[in-house]
Amino acid sequence: MKRKLWISLFFAVINLLVAAQTISPAPKPNLSLTADLSSIQQPLSKIFLSYYNTSTKFRFNDSVDLRNSKTAIFQLNLTEPILAQLRVVPDRTGDTSRRARQASARDFLSVYLEAGKITVLAKDSLSNSTITGSKSHDLYAGLKAKVAVYDPSFTALYAKYSDARKSKSPTDQIEQSIDSLDNLVKEKVYLGFLKAPATKNSPVAIYALTQYAGYAINPVKAEPVFKQLGPVPRNLPSGKIFEERIALAKKLEIGQYAIPFSQADTAGKIFSLASLKGKVVLVDFWASWCGPCRAENPNVVKAFYTYKDKGFTVLGVSLDQPGAKERWMKAIHDDGLAWNHVSDLKYWDNEVSKAYGIQAIPQNYLLDNEGKIIGKNLRGEALQIFLKNLFETSGSTN
């Protein structure tokens, strides 16, 4: 018996050694990023580097202590060029004031990373830096400079919007002006970049395309632009992901049947979209932490009570965070959302939102009584007008 046990242990160890030898070594770094912050006069505590790779769902976060040296070096392995953020934290030991926290949040820099050697040379702050060694960043910086021309106009419109909100005045016209200006930037700046022979084959083209397409992709507009890009961006991991987003958007076009789903409601019981067949349903993606969602809720409440007796209802899909069920339920109560709600409390990993390709909230889909999509992203007065035409002009769809 002891001999058999010894033999079994022997072969187990051999198998472990063989398995260890076959494990692939960690990929070698293909990027060395140096941040020289020696020109910044104030004491510094740390510098943080972060990025989110949408193609691999990989969130990268790293930091370097700056208390002994104001030069930081990051060694990275990139699968493709990617936009990252650098942020420095001043060394304010013992200072927990609001000013200190604001200073920590202010000094940041976006940099387009790619394989090679990249240097960030700060002047009087990290946000005021010279970046060398990244052709992708040079293209990105040129693109952002063209967008910045419109910043004063956006700032003025957002200020008007904020004032209108505070005084509880109508904001529909201001929102339309913001949308019009946003569309102008998309057509003139981003589409221009995507069509230019010198830039349409750049890795930065995928970034420009995501800005042009927006969070809710219109495949009729986005697909032709994607297809005319060069082979470099189309074959990047992020390019493949964008192609998949186009395919999903086609499945969620007006006239298509909504993707069926089931999820736990506030009582923990499974609730299905199919159970609402026969009603006109607004599938509303939102969250208790989402300011714009909460601001839109009174409009949805108005629509619900106006047309609920004519066959209209709402199904809320919340992207609330793990452990935040009480906040979710409190928001439902506080905002008077008297309809069915579901969530798996997985934040942006909510299974329903992933099935629908949700990249930002609020978003919604309006379904007819057969479950076909008849409207998308109807907010403000647009929702009221659409439902009025549906129920009062054409009559109830039941």
Side-chain angles (χ1 to χ4, degrees):
M1 179 63 73
K2 290 183 179 180
R3 177 179 173 82
K4 289 182 179 179
L5 179 60
W6 184 87
I7 291 173
S8 298
L9 289 172
F10 173 79
F11 282 106
V13 171
I14 293 297
N15 288 333
L16 286 173
L17 290 173
V18 171
Q21 290 177 349
T22 58
I23 293 174
S24 299
K28 293 182 179 180
N30 58 7
L31 165 64
S32 178
L33 172 65
T34 301
D36 184 345
L37 311 172
S38 55
S39 294
I40 299 178
Q41 296 300 311
Q42 68 184 132
L44 300 176
S45 173
K46 282 187 176 183
I47 181 170
F48 290 88
L49 170 66
S50 62
Y51 61 78
Y52 178 69
N53 190 329
T54 55
S55 62
T56 62
K57 305 298 182 184
F58 175 69
R59 292 179 175 86
F60 179 87
N61 294 284
D62 197 6
S63 64
V64 173
D65 194 304
L66 298 174
R67 285 171 293 186
N68 295 321
S69 171
K70 287 187 176 180
T71 298
I73 299 177
F74 296 93
Q75 301 287 341
L76 307 170
N77 181 273
L78 301 179
T79 56
E80 63 177 320
I82 197 163
L83 187 63
Q85 287 72 45
L86 287 168
R87 180 173 64 90
V88 293
V89 178
D91 187 4
R92 297 181 182 274
T93 305
D95 186 355
T96 59
S97 65
R98 182 180 178 185
R99 179 183 175 187
R101 293 195 301 271
Q102 289 176 336
S104 298
R106 266 200 308 267
D107 201 8
F108 67 92
L109 178 72
S110 294
V111 54
Y112 225 104
L113 304 179
E114 63 182 17
K117 293 183 178 181
I118 300 175
T119 300
V120 173
L121 181 60
K123 297 178 183 178
D124 54 352
S125 65
L126 175 63
S127 57
N128 185 21
S129 295
T130 300
I131 299 165
T132 56
S134 173
K135 292 181 179 179
S136 293
H137 184 83
D138 293 342
L139 292 174
Y140 167 75
L143 187 60
K144 295 301 289 183
K146 291 180 180 180
V147 173
V149 172
Y150 299 89
D151 284 351
S153 298
F154 276 115
T155 300
L157 285 170
Y158 285 130
K160 286 184 179 179
Y161 178 80
S162 178
D163 291 341
R165 284 284 308 278
K166 289 177 181 177
S167 62
K168 296 185 178 180
S169 302
T171 60
D172 289 341
Q173 289 187 350
I174 303 173
E175 290 178 29
Q176 289 174 9
S177 297
I178 293 172
D179 289 342
S180 295
L181 183 58
D182 185 54
N183 288 331
L184 178 65
V185 173
K186 287 178 178 179
E187 295 293 327
K188 279 198 168 186
V189 180
Y190 292 114
L191 187 58
F193 183 94
L194 292 164
K195 287 187 172 181
T199 50
K200 70 179 186 178
N201 196 39
S202 161
V204 183
I206 294 299
Y207 166 82
L209 183 55
T210 58
Q211 300 303 307
Y212 171 73
Y215 61 82
I217 291 178
N218 179 350
V220 175
K221 287 183 62 176
E223 188 172 38
V225 178
F226 176 79
K227 287 184 174 179
Q228 62 86 42
L229 293 180
V232 170
R234 286 203 316 270
N235 290 308
L236 289 172
S238 56
K240 297 295 184 182
I241 290 295
F242 195 90
E243 192 171 23
E244 291 174 6
R245 289 183 63 198
I246 291 174
L248 177 58
K250 287 182 176 181
K251 295 179 181 179
L252 292 166
E253 281 282 80
I254 290 176
Q256 299 291 325
Y257 281 98
I259 298 171
F261 63 85
S262 298
Q263 203 160 77
D265 63 14
T266 54
K269 296 180 179 179
I270 299 300
F271 187 91
S272 69
L273 174 63
S275 68
L276 296 176
K277 188 174 181 180
K279 292 181 176 289
V280 174
V281 182
L282 185 73
V283 181
D284 186 29
F285 292 91
W286 75 295
S288 67
W289 49 261
C290 170
C293 304
R294 303 293 294 273
E296 175 63 13
N297 278 344
N299 183 57
V300 183
V301 169
K302 178 183 176 182
F304 176 74
Y305 282 106
T306 302
Y307 299 106
K308 71 182 183 70
D309 294 332
K310 295 187 177 184
F312 172 70
T313 193
V314 182
L315 177 56
V317 181
S318 171
L319 276 66
D320 268 278
Q321 302 179 36
K325 185 174 182 179
E326 292 303 318
R327 284 189 59 186
W328 171 41
M329 295 181 68
K330 185 177 186 301
I332 292 171
H333 178 268
D334 290 349
D335 293 3
L337 313 182
W339 49 79
N340 296 105
H341 294 270
V342 297
S343 181
D344 56 12
L345 299 175
K346 291 183 179 179
Y347 200 31
W348 288 106
D349 285 330
N350 179 287
E351 295 299 329
V352 180
S353 74
K354 289 196 294 184
Y356 276 73
I358 300 299
Q359 301 274 315
I361 51 176
Q363 277 199 69
N364 62 50
Y365 287 86
L366 185 65
L367 317 180
D368 69 8
N369 53 14
E370 292 296 321
K372 283 186 178 180
I373 299 169
I374 56 175
K376 295 193 293 184
N377 296 320
L378 297 166
R379 294 194 290 275
E381 193 62 25
L383 176 62
Q384 307 298 331
I385 292 172
F386 194 102
L387 292 176
K388 183 176 181 180
N389 290 335
L390 182 66
F391 287 108
E392 298 181 13
T393 303
S394 303
S396 173
T397 59
N398 285 325

